[in-house]
Amino acid sequence: MEKSLKRPALLAALLIALIALPTVADAAGFAALTSLATRVLIYGIAAASLNFVLGYGGMVSFGHAAFFGIGGYTVGILYQHYSLGEPLFGFIPGTNQMLITLPVAVVLSGIMAAIIGALSLRTGGVQFIMITLAFAQMLFFLFVSLKTYGGDDGLIIRRANELPWLNMRDKHTVYYVCLAIAVLFFAVLWRLVNSRFGNVIVGLRQSEKRMAAIGLPAYRYKLVAFIISGMGCGLAGALMANFLRFASPDMMHWTKSGELMIMVILGGVGTLFGPLIGAAVFIVLESVLASWTENWQLGLGLILLFVVLYTQGGVQALGARLVGRSA
Amino acid sequence: MSTPILNVRGLVKRFGGLLATDHVDLTVKPGEIHALIGPNGAGKTTLISQLMGELKPNEGTIELAGKPVDDLSTAKRVSLGLARTFQITCLLPDYTVLDNVAIAVQVRQGHSFRFWGNARSEAALREEARKYLHTVGMERRADELVANLSHGEQKQLELAVALATEPKLLLLDEPMAGLGHAESQQMIGILRNLKKQVSMLLVEHDMDAVFALADRISVLVYGRIIATGSVEEIRDNPEVRTAYLGEGEEVC
Ligand SMILES: Nc1ncnc2c1ncn2[C@@H]1O[C@H](COP(=O)(O)OP(=O)(O)OP(=O)(O)O)[C@@H](O)[C@H]1O
Ligand SMILES: [Mg+2]
């Protein structure tokens, strides 16, 4: 009862805070906060996408950076062909329009997820982890070797994609575009996890044997969940390329897959907003720790260990328990 | 004679050197409760797993209502009217009792590629699920989490979930195991009432339950069916008495 009232109020407060953030940050003289928040929103989308298969569906993918990178390179490659004025493969014109690049990024990462998922979802457990990791690393090395698109160095995107009526060179505008997309994304994800489809996905995590015994052909549902999840990561990658004005093989390196997993675990596996909170904690920790010491990853590792051992469900669960206790 | 609902011919399953199912022939007639008894490790659970398609037999064929199902997946067999309960209960632990039944109703109703509406606020789905909880006498526990159920309640829920798939043939793997006397009596009552709707293959160690419910009994020893017959025939069969019921021990 109480919880159902508390939650919308909390969400409304969060949304208002996020809308006010750039203005407050400027006024307080922390203009960099807006950029930090933009990254949190983008990684939040990516981590929540991963969480849909990992946390809700119990499919531990260690290769989701592949889709993040595909999204980023879609924006980068389309921009390069646009700026050079030569069509891709001789017939696909480049573009710098976000209304085109984002959907294309989502579709392409979805197709890649369909291919990788179709081949890896026949396995499970450790094998699944290793196969998804292997596919992502294959893509990583493919893009490293693609000298046309910058190879190792990556692709510089001189200007962020354009949106009608908006000035995308303004940092605040980019932030608000990401915020709007994130709100939309989480609304869709919320419907999805509570739908009939989400119901069987969560059921599969709890017991595949049980789901088979009630007549569910598991493979096709897992595959569709994997594709949806890949599309979400592709969307995030496309936004990231726009934000950084840069796409590079690092976006699909296995350490990026690991970072996304860490965000999910930090925030709370199998919760709607946990990954967003996890992304925020990760990025803040990263900047704070990095300014203290070069070995910031060691500090991060210790904190992660603490979260896994002592919070039983990440920062989100910790917060819920603290709130529950004080109330 | 009408076609049997289940017809198993020459089924063989090997685990390395172990012959877990040894050329088993078995039929279940429509409307029948066919009990399968046998000592621990005889291969009863292994047989059920093969019928469901969870384990692949090495030889033999399985027909459901006259139709071979050997090449069909578990999901397909369930849609043709086969359902099982698990000896070691296998439920969705994070879901409530009602959720566990509702998801079975949902899957029976067709594909689950519905991405928008909230599955937990579909009144028709929830109502139908409650019907099966009522059948097993659990409707008052509908909102309890499965993790909080007693062993007996989990056994009852197993049955409700299996019923929610609307089976023609129910494979029950020791539904009374671990139940107290009162709970066992209740389960016997439930199964007796269900007999009008669904045929059953009943694996059970509790001889009172078997003699109370079964129309026919088959005895499985070391993967082989050594006898099939009516309750009286099995009770008086000397081979069964030595191999399974134990010499000198009074039966019933
Ligand atoms: N996956 C497996 N791999 C190897 N051996 C197995 C496997 N499953 C079962 N067995 C063996 O097959 C034999 C039959 O086991 P099963 O579980 O079918 O017996 P059961 O009749 O159900 O016994 P219980 O009354 O104890 O439930 C046993 O010897 C068991 O050890
Ligand atoms: Mg058994």
Side-chain angles (χ1 to χ4, degrees), chain A residues 22-265:
Chain A
T23 324
V24 175
D26 278 3
F30 286 114
L33 200 62
T34 305
S35 291
L36 205 71
T38 314
R39 284 175 58 208
V40 168
L41 288 174
I42 296 173
Y43 276 123
I45 293 174
S49 302
L50 170 62
N51 186 42
F52 183 59
V53 288
L54 192 153
Y56 287 98
M59 293 167 255
V60 185
S61 164
F62 202 169
H64 259 53
F67 313 122
F68 190 68
I70 297 273
Y73 267 100
T74 305
V75 171
I77 291 173
L78 286 174
Y79 185 84
Q80 169 156 326
H81 287 280
Y82 160 80
S83 64
L84 295 178
E86 44 182 53
L88 175 62
F89 306 130
F91 71 97
I92 303 171
T95 177
N96 69 337
Q97 294 300 313
M98 194 177 259
L99 288 178
I100 300 172
T101 58
L102 284 197
V104 171
V106 168
V107 168
L108 288 181
S109 42
I111 291 171
M112 188 50 72
I115 296 168
I116 295 180
L119 295 168
S120 55
L121 285 168
R122 299 273 180 204
T123 66
V126 178
Q127 268 191 55
F128 179 74
I129 300 177
M130 297 318 281
I131 293 179
T132 48
L133 173 63
F135 274 117
Q137 283 301 91
M138 270 163 57
L139 274 178
F140 169 79
F141 286 114
L142 175 72
F143 278 92
V144 165
S145 68
L146 275 183
K147 297 291 175 239
T148 346
Y149 300 121
D152 237 348
D153 300 328
L155 261 181
I156 290 174
I157 302 161
R158 285 198 41 233
R159 277 190 200 158
N161 285 171
E162 288 175 1
L163 268 176
W165 308 297
L166 293 178
N167 173 17
M168 291 296 281
R169 302 174 76 172
D170 176 34
K171 284 224 155 27
H172 286 193
T173 312
V174 173
Y175 171 80
Y176 283 118
V177 167
C178 288
L179 180 58
I181 291 175
V183 168
L184 217 67
F185 171 86
F186 277 98
V188 169
L189 190 63
W190 171 65
R191 299 299 308 204
L192 190 64
V193 297
N194 288 302
S195 69
R196 282 190 171 211
F197 180 75
N199 195 22
V200 299
I201 292 300
V202 175
L204 282 169
R205 182 202 66 216
Q206 297 174 65
S207 171
E208 280 203 36
K209 197 166 135 195
R210 166 46 70 197
M211 295 309 287
I214 61 173
L216 188 84
Y219 178 74
R220 61 188 75 158
Y221 290 96
K222 286 171 49 177
L223 182 58
V224 171
F226 197 80
I227 293 171
I228 291 172
S229 163
M231 288 162 77
C233 272
L235 172 69
L239 290 174
M240 191 51 95
N242 270 293
F243 169 72
L244 296 174
R245 284 182 279 116
F246 183 56
S248 78
D250 281 347
M251 289 180 87
M252 31 181 97
H253 195 247
W254 69 270
T255 51
K256 188 63 75 184
S257 297
E259 281 176 20
L260 293 178
M261 278 171 125
I262 290 172
M263 290 172 195
V264 171
I265 295 166

